[in-house]
Amino acid sequence: ADLLSDNSNLITGVYNIASLCSDGKNEKNAFRKIIIKELPLRRRAIYISCASTSQTSVYKLDSTNSLSYAFGLSGDFIGSAIDSKSNRLISCGAYTGKLKATKLTDFTEAWGENPVGVTYPCYRNLSSSNGLFIVSYSNGNIKGFDYSGAQKYSAFASQGVYYPIKSALSTNYLLCEQATFLAGTKKLVLYTYPAGSGKQEMNFSGDVVDLFAKDANDFFVFYNQGSTGKISLYSSAGNGFSYYYPYPISGKINSVVAINSSVYLVATNDGIFQYTYETQNFTLFKAGIVAHKLSYDASSNEVLACEGKTLHFYELNTAMQVNTCTTNDSIVDFQLQYNR
């Protein structure tokens, strides 16, 4: 007999089913192992954040390529993240915009936090790793929240001296870019996970565009030094860069997306390039576009790149453009929602 489940988040694996039969007087228990195959990954929608004069407007691009207004975000805006399993879009401001989760089922607020302070921005960065939304605060806090708003991780920068900015989480560590308030001196600080205690730090010169966990202990760092893009590998064992990409990168890096743990697409002022760590290749993927945000859709094998008011869709293997979406205002961010 077929067993139907309405839980689309179940992953492939072996599960136990327990059954209880009763005639009102006697009861009988039985257990059986079953194999469940997860649903194929499928994109439901894309939520596109656009900057207008008074607020950030969020639009929904559905699976039929129909674009419609979804909801507005008051105050300023620095970024967003998404949790498809819980149907939550997380958005974050700086000085005036809230840190908040919006339900994608009815576009109401699930939870939120108001910014505090006016001298410096309350929030410095929002990212997502390992099922957590990592938020950097000017007061030195680094907090990890789950989809419900429960805090699951905590670390601290040197309060009043350094503030945290970009970060990435592996199964063992969190690596965080930090800067001083006055001089802007930078460093990379490594914290343990899940404890959140500071382990070590290194001096750093540059502006991090993004960080990615290579494995449990090491991180790729994509950054700019002036107008020159750089790629390095941070080693937790050596507390420093164990690798530098040895060749000049064409243009300043604007955005990076991981295809897998060793292949990345890098958007620069001179186009989009594909970087492969094992082979040391840095090859042109798409010319003639200055993208400021990249994303990769594993369900369709498409690369998404936004430039101004247009979102471009490219097939990964051929770099052929397969779709576009144009909005009325400049796109500042976008997130992909999946069926699980």
Side-chain angles (χ1 to χ4, degrees), residues 166-205:
K166 300 288 181 70
S167 65
L169 191 64
S170 73
T171 53
N172 288 345
Y173 298 110
L174 179 135
L175 183 65
C176 181
E177 173 197 22
Q178 297 182 11
T180 56
F181 283 91
L182 298 179
T185 305
K186 293 283 189 73
K187 63 181 179 179
L188 296 178
V189 183
L190 190 70
Y191 297 89
T192 59
Y193 179 79
S197 56
K199 179 177 174 63
Q200 58 200 26
E201 60 185 58
M202 63 166 280
N203 293 329
F204 173 72
S205 176

Side-chain angles (χ1 to χ4, degrees), residues 9-308:
N9 294 324
L10 289 174
I11 62 174
T12 298
V14 178
Y15 293 79
N16 293 312
I17 285 187
S19 61
L20 173 66
C21 295
S22 173
D23 62 4
K25 182 177 180 181
N26 302 301
E27 294 183 346
K28 178 73 173 179
N29 289 303
F31 299 89
R32 173 164 293 185
K33 291 184 181 295
I34 62 170
I35 298 175
I36 291 180
K37 293 184 178 180
E38 64 193 37
L39 291 173
L41 189 66
R42 178 174 54 84
R43 188 175 74 215
R44 283 182 175 174
I46 303 172
Y47 286 89
I48 304 172
S49 300
C50 296
S52 59
T53 55
S54 59
Q55 66 171 8
T56 299
S57 299
V58 181
Y59 295 87
K60 178 182 178 180
L61 183 68
D62 65 20
S63 58
T64 67
N65 207 40
S66 176
L67 184 69
S68 60
Y69 176 81
F71 58 94
L73 297 169
S74 300
D76 54 14
F77 176 89
I78 62 171
S80 63
I82 199 166
D83 184 77
S84 294
K85 291 182 179 180
S86 64
N87 293 307
R88 300 283 194 275
L89 183 77
I90 315 300
S91 56
C92 187
Y95 289 92
T96 58
K98 292 177 65 174
L99 171 67
K100 64 178 289 187
T102 300
K103 300 177 186 177
L104 298 179
T105 50
D106 58 10
F107 304 134
T108 60
E109 183 176 316
W111 56 269
E113 177 184 278
N114 290 315
V116 177
V118 294
T119 304
Y120 297 102
C122 177
Y123 307 110
R124 293 284 183 169
N125 191 66
L126 167 68
S127 63
S128 59
S129 295
N130 294 3
L132 293 181
F133 302 105
I134 310 297
V135 183
S136 297
Y137 294 76
S138 279
N139 65 8
N141 280 306
I142 306 165
K143 297 181 181 181
F145 300 93
D146 69 9
Y147 72 92
S148 69
Q151 186 176 336
K152 300 293 184 179
Y153 183 73
S154 180
F156 301 93
S158 301
Q159 191 171 16
V161 181
Y162 282 87
Y163 59 86
I165 316 174
K166 300 288 181 70
S167 65
L169 191 64
S170 73
T171 53
N172 288 345
Y173 298 110
L174 179 135
L175 183 65
C176 181
E177 173 197 22
Q178 297 182 11
T180 56
F181 283 91
L182 298 179
T185 305
K186 293 283 189 73
K187 63 181 179 179
L188 296 178
V189 183
L190 190 70
Y191 297 89
T192 59
Y193 179 79
S197 56
K199 179 177 174 63
Q200 58 200 26
E201 60 185 58
M202 63 166 280
N203 293 329
F204 173 72
S205 176
D207 297 309
V208 171
V209 177
D210 219 332
L211 305 129
F212 298 88
K214 177 182 179 292
D215 48 40
N217 300 316
D218 299 337
F219 297 82
F220 280 111
V221 183
F222 294 82
Y223 59 105
N224 292 309
Q225 288 183 333
S227 60
T228 304
K230 301 283 186 179
I231 305 172
S232 298
L233 181 64
Y234 174 84
S235 166
S236 62
N239 187 31
F241 289 148
S242 61
Y243 158 85
Y244 296 87
Y245 178 69
Y247 306 108
I249 290 177
S250 181
K252 186 177 181 180
I253 298 175
N254 299 322
S255 180
V256 185
V257 65
I259 306 302
N260 54 49
S261 61
S262 63
V263 178
Y264 297 83
L265 288 183
V266 182
T268 78
N269 292 340
D270 295 331
I272 303 173
F273 296 82
Q274 181 170 308
Y275 165 68
T276 305
Y277 173 65
E278 277 81 4
T279 60
Q280 296 296 291
N281 286 338
F282 193 85
T283 57
L284 182 65
F285 174 81
K286 197 70 180 179
I289 178 173
V290 183
H292 58 271
K293 168 69 186 287
L294 297 176
S295 188
Y296 171 62
D297 184 353
S299 71
S300 62
N301 204 37
E302 292 174 343
V303 177
L304 287 73
C306 66
E307 180 185 33

